[in-house]
Amino acid sequence: MQTIGLIGGMSWESTTEYYRLLNQEINTRLGGLHSAKIVMISIDFQPMEAHMQRGEWDQCENILSDAARKLESAGADCFLICTNTLHKVAPGVSEAVHIPLLHIVDAAAVKIKSEQLHTVGLLGTKFTMEEQFYRGMLKEKHGLDVITPPAEDRQLVHDIIFNELCHGTVRDQSRVEYMRIIDTMSKQGAEGVIEGCTEIAMLVNQSHTDIPLFDTTTLHVQHAVHFALNN
């Protein structure tokens, strides 16, 4: 089994899910007392979020690149950035080390294509929904068409993530709003919806809808476990 490196803390609420799910998945596959071999660097999210809001993505890249180098030095054989949004700087971070970055978009797209879907809705932060680093990769690399909510709903989705879910707060009314947005995208042609923020599954999961949901946290974990056990 290879060692999985995690860059977490963005937010720590979802990073706890990464740790739990990685160990559960390894134990399910190997049995006994097996657990995942993990090295983690956890980021203080407050200054990182401030850099994001100011558009200082070079600073975000520097912080994550430093974390990736530490993971490599600690013995990680691969690494994950445990958040969707910060994959905006994934190319530069990947170039900072010699171990592979397992990209969260690839993990989601493989699952979506395995279910023969072609058009998906996308929920996440405004950065993820509006910029090309995520939607563009889904389209250009994986051939998927992407539907996003209108501007007002994108802001609502974004605010619920940062003001509630990143603090561990789960509100029924916020779930109602997310379900409304998901239903609207489905009516517009989305065959499934990517939960493109690692906190969204705290609020909405498959028990809440018949529309296929793609939980990027779980899919990223499964991608990492496959790598760790097959390389």
Side-chain angles (χ1 to χ4, degrees):
M1 185 196 315
Q2 295 203 325
T3 299
I4 300 168
L6 302 178
I7 304 178
M10 304 168 288
S11 67
W12 70 263
E13 291 284 348
S14 63
T15 303
T16 61
E17 285 298 289
Y18 269 90
Y19 186 81
R20 181 181 66 83
L21 291 169
L22 279 167
N23 283 291
Q24 284 184 343
E25 188 71 18
I26 288 290
N27 188 258
T28 296
R29 297 195 189 195
L30 300 183
L33 296 175
H34 283 289
S35 56
K37 295 173 66 178
I38 296 171
V39 178
M40 182 190 297
I41 300 291
S42 192
I43 301 298
D44 177 8
F45 195 30
Q46 180 66 49
M48 178 73 81
E49 191 269 344
H51 288 313
M52 292 162 60
Q53 296 298 340
R54 293 194 294 264
E56 298 168 349
W57 295 101
D58 57 336
Q59 296 298 318
C60 297
E61 182 178 321
N62 290 340
I63 293 169
L64 296 185
S65 294
D66 180 62
R69 285 189 286 267
K70 290 176 180 176
L71 290 175
E72 184 175 37
S73 296
D77 297 298
C78 64
F79 75 105
L80 283 63
I81 300 173
C82 299
T83 172
N84 286 269
T85 300
L86 269 302
H87 278 75
K88 179 178 171 68
V89 297
V93 178
S94 180
E95 291 175 0
V97 292
H98 299 95
I99 58 176
L101 166 66
L102 305 184
H103 203 291
I104 200 165
V105 171
D106 289 331
V110 166
K111 178 63 173 176
I112 293 164
K113 291 190 292 185
S114 76
E115 298 192 7
Q116 305 297 310
L117 305 187
H118 304 285
T119 302
V120 288
L122 175 61
L123 296 178
T125 66
K126 286 204 304 181
F127 310 111
T128 298
M129 292 185 288
E130 294 178 358
E131 299 188 27
Q132 282 298 308
F133 73 93
Y134 205 100
R135 293 185 296 118
M137 188 170 176
L138 287 168
K139 178 65 176 179
E140 295 160 17
K141 182 176 181 179
H142 295 287
L144 297 171
D145 293 325
V146 181
I147 295 171
T148 55
E152 183 176 350
D153 284 340
R154 292 198 301 269
Q155 185 66 55
L156 176 62
V157 169
H158 179 93
D159 289 343
I160 289 171
I161 290 168
F162 279 99
N163 298 334
E164 299 176 21
L165 300 180
C166 285
H167 297 280
T169 301
V170 176
R171 301 185 190 279
D172 290 340
Q173 184 56 43
S174 296
R175 181 179 296 112
V176 169
E177 293 290 355
Y178 268 50
M179 290 310 306
R180 174 184 61 78
I181 294 167
I182 288 170
D183 288 342
T184 298
M185 290 193 293
S186 176
K187 292 173 182 175
Q188 292 172 337
E191 301 165 288
V193 172
I194 299 173
E195 296 186 314
C197 175
T198 52
E199 287 83 14
I200 290 178
M202 296 165 55
L203 182 66
V204 176
N205 59 54
Q206 198 63 72
S207 69
H208 298 119
T209 179
D210 293 330
I211 300 165
L213 299 179
F214 297 93
D215 171 10
T216 51
T217 302
T218 298
L219 295 174
H220 209 192
V221 163
Q222 292 172 347
H223 188 50
V225 168
H226 179 80
F227 182 94
L229 296 180
N230 291 279
N231 289 276

